[in-house]
Amino acid sequence: MTSPNFVKGLIEKEIVKHGSQLIEAVDETKIKFFYRTVKTSDGTVLDDNFPGKEPLELIYGKQFKLEVWEECLKTMELHEVARFTVQRELLSCYALVAKSLRDIAKGKDSSNCGDREHGSGDHHCCGMQNMLKNGLGYADLDEFLKFDWLI
């Protein structure tokens, strides 16, 4: 089954290395994968969990925050290496997901808003409020939020 986003041209796939077998992409299937996120405009690598790092785990159907990744992965075979070009309109959550993944890799609690009063009885904050006030803590992700380029 081909996703509407592939049909509409919002996602393009290039196979770098063919895989060994097609895996049925059903809910509750756990997959592990490596990824590299690159700006198509200038080749800048934003995120890369390979080599030497642990693969990211995703379980199909568990509402991963970056739905387009699940959509792309469902088109892949076991051990396939592919390159996807994704239109900006499908990446609205990318910066927040990337921040969380980076924070987890550093052992940081990404739920902490950075405010000295965080956790006090009368203090409440939300991620969006903090992001607008202080940025994401990563200059490249803050830039991502400002510009319309493909990734």
Side-chain angles (χ1 to χ4, degrees):
M1 178 175 120
T2 303
S3 144
N5 288 321
F6 280 91
V7 173
K8 292 177 190 174
L10 298 175
I11 303 173
E12 295 175 12
K13 177 181 178 180
E14 174 189 348
I15 297 174
V16 176
K17 176 183 169 261
H18 286 277
S20 56
Q21 73 182 67
L22 187 60
I23 303 295
E24 187 177 356
V26 296
D27 286 353
E28 303 296 324
T29 301
K30 182 192 289 187
I31 60 167
K32 295 180 180 184
F33 63 99
F34 291 100
Y35 63 92
R36 176 180 295 148
T37 310
V38 180
K39 288 173 44 177
T40 58
S41 60
D42 63 7
T44 300
V45 175
L46 295 175
D47 292 293
D48 188 353
N49 76 333
F50 184 83
K53 298 180 184 172
E54 291 294 314
L56 185 62
E57 285 188 13
L58 180 145
I59 300 174
Y60 289 143
K62 291 292 185 181
Q63 299 178 338
F64 185 67
K65 300 243 186 287
L66 195 57
E67 293 175 17
V68 71
W69 278 12
E70 185 171 333
E71 193 172 348
C72 292
L73 292 165
K74 284 181 175 181
T75 70
M76 296 180 72
E77 296 179 345
L78 183 64
H79 303 294
E80 178 180 310
V81 178
R83 180 176 297 120
F84 296 92
T85 301
V86 179
Q87 297 294 316
R88 171 79 172 164
E89 64 192 80
L90 299 179
L91 299 171
S92 60
C93 293
Y94 174 76
L96 294 174
V97 172
K99 176 194 176 2
S100 293
L101 293 173
R102 290 177 186 187
D103 287 351
I104 290 166
K106 290 180 177 180
K108 291 172 56 178
D109 178 3
S110 61
S111 65
N112 187 339
C113 72
D115 191 318
R116 289 188 314 275
E117 297 177 22
H118 186 73
S120 68
D122 61 348
H123 178 72
H124 174 75
C125 65
C126 71
M128 188 61 73
Q129 177 186 9
N130 183 52
M131 181 184 72
L132 293 173
K133 180 180 174 185
N134 301 317
L136 294 173
Y138 299 95
D140 58 344
L141 296 180
D142 292 336
E143 279 298 304
F144 178 87
L145 293 172
K146 295 177 188 175
F147 293 102
D148 290 331
W149 39 259
L150 300 178
I151 200 161

